[in-house]
Amino acid sequence: MTLNVKERRNKTGTVLVATGEINSETSGALLQALLPLVREDKPLKIDLTAVTYVSSAGLRTLLVVYREAQHAGVAVTLYGVSEEVRFVMSATGFLDFFETGEATVAAAKAKAKAVR
């Protein structure tokens, strides 16, 4: 299987949309797409809605991106993490490294309720 990536830029940062599998064959291309975006010093959102599988090589790639982002002080948020991918990332502890779009939405809803 292949992995396709597309960038969308807006005023607040960049969204990278990934489609396919992140494995040993595709993780290098993903890393090459993500690292320059991290180095732009703007928030980065990674949309994994259409990612069906993440191998250990894919997890390693996301870890490298996380470390680079931490070093650069750049926020990286994962969106659309499927149950299968969430399970793998959670079981290995990788999900703890990233902010997820779902968590961001839940926090905003909780804050809105607290203000009322």
Side-chain angles (χ1 to χ4, degrees), residues 55-77:
S55 72
S56 60
L59 293 175
R60 199 168 33 254
T61 295
L62 292 174
L63 182 61
V64 169
V65 169
Y66 169 79
R67 288 182 176 161
E68 284 289 322
Q70 288 293 336
H71 181 70
V74 172
V76 176
T77 306

Side-chain angles (χ1 to χ4, degrees), residues 3 18-23 30 46-56 58-59 62 78-96 98 100 102:
L3 178 72
T19 304
E21 295 183 356
I22 304 173
N23 56 38
L30 180 62
I46 304 171
D47 185 344
L48 300 176
T49 303
V51 171
T52 56
Y53 173 79
V54 176
S55 72
S56 60
L59 293 175
L62 292 174
L78 303 180
Y79 283 88
V81 182
S82 70
E83 287 301 317
E84 294 84 7
V85 172
R86 181 177 296 281
F87 175 78
V88 170
M89 291 184 75
S90 180
T92 56
F94 279 77
L95 198 56
D96 295 337
F98 293 93
T100 62
E102 293 82 0

